[in-house]
DNA sequence: AATAATGGCAACCGCTCTTGG
DNA sequence: CCCAAGAGCGGTTGCCATTAT
């Protein structure tokens, strides 16, 4: 069976998603759905492969994504399901509302698998434990001497997903809520849009976002400019976009966005976030798409 | 303080499956 | 039934942060 390349590699962006791209994707899908992933990037004005867009949406931007640490129950369920289903991550994910196959896969490989393997001890595993023990001792010693810093450390340790994009990590107040990362901000935006149907997961998520942001805010006690939150996309991105069939400006007009030229934007971060929240809240039909 | 090793997560790659003409 | 396109899935890699030496 012949297989066409999933996308034209040339001229497409790769790597971490920028906040602009996240928002563009979220807004487009909320308004139009995703009937055709392959065509979506062009229609949404994104220089991304369709697969990349799909992955980003499925794993991080969907409104119903549950973030935060896995509970003991969830981990136990994963272990049980893995025993029954093997590496069928999507099937396992189907049993864990709000969790994605990618997330479960990562958790399995980085946490659960190791924990299970600890049953059959090898010398190096003993070493590792010894090392961990030493680290714990050091940590405890530090705790005794540095209580204030510890509060922040703990919040970060216990909420790893809330700083899931360390590369983009920043803390920003929107006036309505506080976002900690690009991913979180997008998720929170989605949650806001989905307000009427807010689930306990989403509430939990919002609480967690608020919690970590508080800690980060306390730690940093700094404010960020719009340019810091939405760093300018490199020139090649925008110049490439200019030659697209449908330019970004046209796309923005069609979508009601104002992202065609982020460099020219003099709006503040708060204004930007309020704009997006307003935009999403006004898109009344979005809620119907939140179950995608 | 500097460097190396490790952990953890997001994203990509390439294969299989599904669907429509 | 055949074929191609698109979607979905699982494995793997790359990169950054943290920890150890």
């Amino acid at each position: 069976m012949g297989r066409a390349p999933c996308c034209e590699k040339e001229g497409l962006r790769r790597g971490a998603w920028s906040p602009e791209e996240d928002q563009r994707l979220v807004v487009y899908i909320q308004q139009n759905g995703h009937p055709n992933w392959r065509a979506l990037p062009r229609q949404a004005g994104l220089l991304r492969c369709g697969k990349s867009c799909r992955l980003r949406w499925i794993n991080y931007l969907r409104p119903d994504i549950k973030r935060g640490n896995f509970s003991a129950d969830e981990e136990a369920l994963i272990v049980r399901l893995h025993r029954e289903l093997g590496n069928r991550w999507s099937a396992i994910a189907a049993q864990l509302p709000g969790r994605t196959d990618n997330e479960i896969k990562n958790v399995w490989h980085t946490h659960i698998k190791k924990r299970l393997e600890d049953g059959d001890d090898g010398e190096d595993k003993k070493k590792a434990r010894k090392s961990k023990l030493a680290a714990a001792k050091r940590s405890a010693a530090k705790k005794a001497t540095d209580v204030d810093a510890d509060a922040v450390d703990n919040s970060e340790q216990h909420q790893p997903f809330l700083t899931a994009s360390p590369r983009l990590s920043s803390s920003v107040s929107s006036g309505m809520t506080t976002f900690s990362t690009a991913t979180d901000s997008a998720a929170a935006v989605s949650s806001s849009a989905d307000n009427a149907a807010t689930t306990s997961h989403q509430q939990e998520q919002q609480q967690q976002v608020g919690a970590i942001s508080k800690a980060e805010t306390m730690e940093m006690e700094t404010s960020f400019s719009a340019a810091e939150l939405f760093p300018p996309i490199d020139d090649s991105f925008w110049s490439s976009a200019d030659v697209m069939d449908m330019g970004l400006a046209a796309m923005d007009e069609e979508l009601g966005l104002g992202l065609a030229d982020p460099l020219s934007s003099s709006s503040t971060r708060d204004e930007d976030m309020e704009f997006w929240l307003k935009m999403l809240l006004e898109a009344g039909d979005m809620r119907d798409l939140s179950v995608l």
Side-chain angles (χ1 to χ4, degrees):
Chain A
M1 201 186 287
R3 186 170 61 94
C6 80
C7 55
E8 298 294 333
K9 306 278 183 189
E10 289 177 17
L12 294 187
R13 279 172 61 84
R14 295 182 57 184
W17 281 62
S18 69
E20 288 93 342
E21 289 176 303
D22 279 346
Q23 287 170 345
R24 192 175 284 275
L25 180 60
V26 167
V27 170
Y28 181 85
I29 292 177
Q30 298 278 27
Q31 291 185 343
N32 303 286
H34 47 75
N36 185 335
W37 284 112
R38 199 179 171 88
L40 187 147
R42 186 176 55 81
Q43 293 167 353
L46 286 162
L47 289 177
R48 290 276 182 175
C49 155
K51 286 176 76 167
S52 183
C53 292
R54 176 185 159 272
L55 198 69
R56 185 66 180 169
W57 173 257
I58 296 289
N59 287 336
Y60 302 100
L61 300 177
R62 276 187 309 168
D64 56 338
I65 290 288
K66 180 182 178 183
R67 306 202 78 84
N69 289 343
F70 278 65
S71 67
D73 286 346
E74 283 177 313
E75 291 195 0
L77 184 56
I78 291 170
V79 170
R80 183 171 67 78
L81 290 171
H82 186 268
R83 204 173 294 146
E84 293 171 6
L85 303 168
N87 290 356
R88 294 173 58 203
W89 304 115
S90 59
I92 294 173
Q95 305 299 315
L96 287 130
R99 301 296 191 182
T100 69
D101 54 354
N102 204 34
E103 190 179 14
I104 291 170
K105 185 169 56 181
N106 281 336
V107 167
W108 174 265
H109 284 123
T110 58
H111 295 116
I112 302 174
K113 193 178 174 183
K114 288 174 186 171
R115 207 174 302 154
L116 293 176
E117 283 174 352
D118 263 358
D120 51 313
D121 280 336
E123 277 306 306
D124 42 3
K125 280 170 187 162
K126 284 180 184 173
K127 262 189 203 171
R129 269 210 298 275
K130 194 177 172 184
S131 173
K132 273 187 181 175
L133 197 65
K137 278 183 183 174
R138 275 193 296 275
S139 172
K142 191 184 174 191
K143 194 179 279 183
T145 59
D146 192 5
V147 174
D148 288 342
D150 188 52
V152 173
D153 289 343
N154 276 343
S155 62
E156 286 176 351
Q157 233 174 15
H158 297 155
Q159 306 289 348
F161 289 98
L162 297 176
T163 54
S165 297
R167 288 155 237 185
L168 298 170
S169 179
S170 64
S171 178
V172 50
S173 163
S174 73
M176 289 177 65
T177 182
T178 309
F179 305 138
S180 61
T181 66
T183 299
D184 293 333
S185 66
V189 165
S190 299
S191 294
S192 299
D194 205 23
N195 226 2
T198 298
T199 64
S200 59
H201 286 161
Q202 288 166 337
Q203 288 171 348
E204 179 186 336
Q205 170 185 328
Q206 286 175 341
Q207 285 168 3
Q208 288 170 340
V209 167
I212 183 65
S213 298
K214 257 187 202 168
E216 287 187 350
T217 304
M218 284 170 59
E219 182 186 22
M220 298 186 191
E221 289 187 343
T222 57
S223 61
F224 294 82
S225 68
E228 284 171 315
L229 179 64
F230 303 133
I233 292 177
D234 58 62
D235 291 340
S236 61
F237 175 83
W238 296 106
S239 60
S240 299
D242 287 339
V243 300
M244 293 174 64
D245 292 339
M246 182 181 281
L248 291 181
M251 281 304 306
D252 291 344
E253 195 171 20
E254 187 172 312
L255 295 175
L257 305 183
L259 287 174
D261 185 3
L263 299 175
S264 70
S265 170
S266 61
S267 62
T268 65
R269 175 195 68 241
D270 286 359
E271 286 167 344
D272 284 342
M273 294 313 299
E274 281 173 9
F275 170 81
W276 284 109
L277 287 166
K278 184 164 173 267
M279 173 63 63
L280 289 165
L281 288 167
E282 283 175 353
D285 55 342
M286 291 177 186
R287 286 189 290 269
D288 299 328
L289 298 167
S290 65
V291 294
L292 293 168

